[in-house]
């Protein structure tokens, strides 16, 4: 009951740019990308998924970002989810792009060109925070696209969860 009260309070004050920037900065955008077993090593390949942020579940239209600005990536992480022990070192490189759901406005947000062969099931990606993502985070959902190159042939489909943490400031016009 107490959690419901706090959610209610947050919703009431979500019109405030400061609160919106704190909320948006607290919940990463996540997407699950699938690498099919049929993927060929040595070729540049693409995986696409829809990215969402947990805070979008608390708004009427999936968007609580009207009063924030200067949104950019602060960290990016990739973790295997199926199988949980999938070695991300099977990839030699990965680039993560974020765009509107229809693919417009795509920008590079994270990459890793030197994935080691024994990286394990989780890696931190190098961020590209040279672009503001204000328009993208105002969308109900975004498209996450990974361009990757396999180092080794894999025996089964692999699912990778990408988490993109952002930071935002209150909009100066509010």
């Amino acid at each position: 009951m107490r959690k419901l009260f706090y959610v209610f309070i947050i919703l009431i004050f979500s019109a405030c740019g400061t609160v919106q920037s704190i909320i948006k900065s607290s919940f990463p955008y996540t997407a699950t990308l699938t690498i099919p077993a049929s993927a060929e090593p040595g070729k540049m390949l693409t995986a696409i998924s829809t990215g969402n942020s947990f805070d979008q579940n608390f708004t009427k239209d999936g968007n609580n970002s009207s009063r924030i600005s200067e949104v950019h990536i602060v960290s990016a992480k990739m973790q295997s989810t199926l199988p949980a022990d999938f070695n991300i070192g099977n990839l030699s490189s990965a680039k993560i792009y974020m765009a509107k759901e229809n693919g417009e406005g795509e920008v590079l947000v994270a990459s890793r060109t030197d994935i080691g062969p024994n990286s394990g099931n989780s890696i931190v990606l190098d961020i590209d925070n040279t672009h503001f993502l204000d328009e993208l985070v105002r969308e109900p959902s975004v498209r996450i696209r990974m361009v990757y190159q396999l180092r080794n042939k894999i025996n089964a489909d692999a699912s990778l969860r990408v988490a993109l943490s952002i930071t935002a400031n209150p909009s100066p016009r509010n």
Side-chain angles (χ1 to χ4, degrees), residues 88-100:
I88 296 176
N90 285 315
L91 304 177
S92 58
S93 66
K95 291 184 178 181
I96 307 295
Y97 296 87
M98 183 184 258
K100 293 181 180 180

Side-chain angles (χ1 to χ4, degrees), residues 1-13 58:
M1 191 65 153
R2 185 172 255 174
K3 286 183 184 179
L4 185 59
F5 174 74
Y6 290 126
V7 169
F8 180 72
I9 294 298
I10 288 172
L11 289 175
I12 287 177
F13 290 108
F58 299 113

